[in-house]
């Protein structure tokens, strides 16, 4: 048993930064990403030897589990605006390293389903069929959500690309 925990511990230690980045891309903020990673790793840790033996690629299995858990969470939640602190208190929040990245801001602005489709397609490299299975939607919905997301990202990123090229918008 200690050998199994050591292997899982070593895996978590080596994979945690990448899993947190992936979770951040899925959820849109680092706090929800950390919760998502913790939830999935808790579930997988208890059956680590089975996951290693049966999946062949535990990292891909964990990423898929994270995507599924994230989708399940936003399907269950209501469209509420939750606040971290009481409105009267002024909270000091640490700076998000991606806060001023144009692509990250554009990605964060997408609806959850579109963001999940884009992350699974271009970050995880899944096919349309695999995305449809992971999200529990049809393949046509995957295509339409990806198309809408890419169109939205193009619109949001066009001024940034033109500014980088030396042209300014009037």
């Amino acid at each position: 048993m200690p050998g199994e925990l050591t292997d899982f511990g070593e895996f978590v230690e080596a994979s945690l930064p990448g899993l947190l980045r992936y979770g951040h891309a899925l959820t849109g903020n680092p706090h929800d990403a950390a919760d998502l990673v913790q939830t999935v790793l808790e579930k997988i840790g208890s059956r680590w030897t089975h996951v290693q033996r049966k999946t062949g690629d535990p990292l891909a299995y964990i990423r898929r589990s994270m995507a599924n858990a994230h989708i399940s969470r936003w399907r269950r939640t209501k469209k509420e605006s939750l606040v971290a602190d009481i409105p009267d208190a002024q909270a000091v929040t640490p700076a998000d390293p991606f806060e001023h990245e144009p692509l990250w801001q554009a990605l964060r602005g997408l609806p959850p389903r579109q963001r999940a489709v884009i992350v699974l397609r271009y970050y995880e490299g899944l096919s349309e069929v695999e995305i449809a299975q992971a999200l529990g939607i049809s393949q046509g919905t995957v295509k339409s959500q990806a198309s809408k997301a890419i169109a939205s990202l193009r619109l949001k990123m066009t001024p940034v690309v033109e500014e980088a090229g030396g042209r300014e918008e009037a």
Side-chain angles (χ1 to χ4, degrees), residues 25-36:
L26 279 174
T27 63
N29 74 61
H31 306 292
D32 288 342
D35 290 344
L36 179 64

Side-chain angles (χ1 to χ4, degrees), residues 40-131:
V40 170
L41 288 178
E42 282 176 358
K43 290 178 182 176
I44 297 212
S46 62
R47 49 192 179 88
W48 176 245
T49 54
H50 173 75
V51 169
Q52 262 187 317
R53 191 173 46 241
K54 296 292 182 183
T55 64
D57 186 3
L59 186 58
Y61 182 81
I62 289 173
R63 284 185 175 158
R64 175 72 58 90
S65 297
M66 286 173 61
N68 291 341
H70 173 64
I71 296 302
S72 295
R73 184 180 295 163
W74 65 255
R75 280 183 179 159
R76 283 190 307 264
T77 59
K78 295 178 183 176
K79 301 293 182 197
E80 297 178 5
S81 178
L82 301 177
V83 293
D85 295 324
I86 299 171
D88 296 329
Q90 292 183 345
V92 177
T93 56
D96 183 359
F98 298 111
E99 188 67 32
H100 302 293
E101 290 290 326
L103 181 58
W104 180 247
Q105 290 174 346
L107 185 65
R108 190 181 323 165
L110 293 175
R113 184 179 285 177
Q114 289 180 13
R115 185 171 55 234
V117 167
I118 292 296
V119 168
L120 291 173
R121 179 69 181 114
Y122 296 103
Y123 186 84
E124 189 64 26
L126 298 181
S127 69
E128 291 170 350
V129 173
E130 292 170 323
I131 295 169

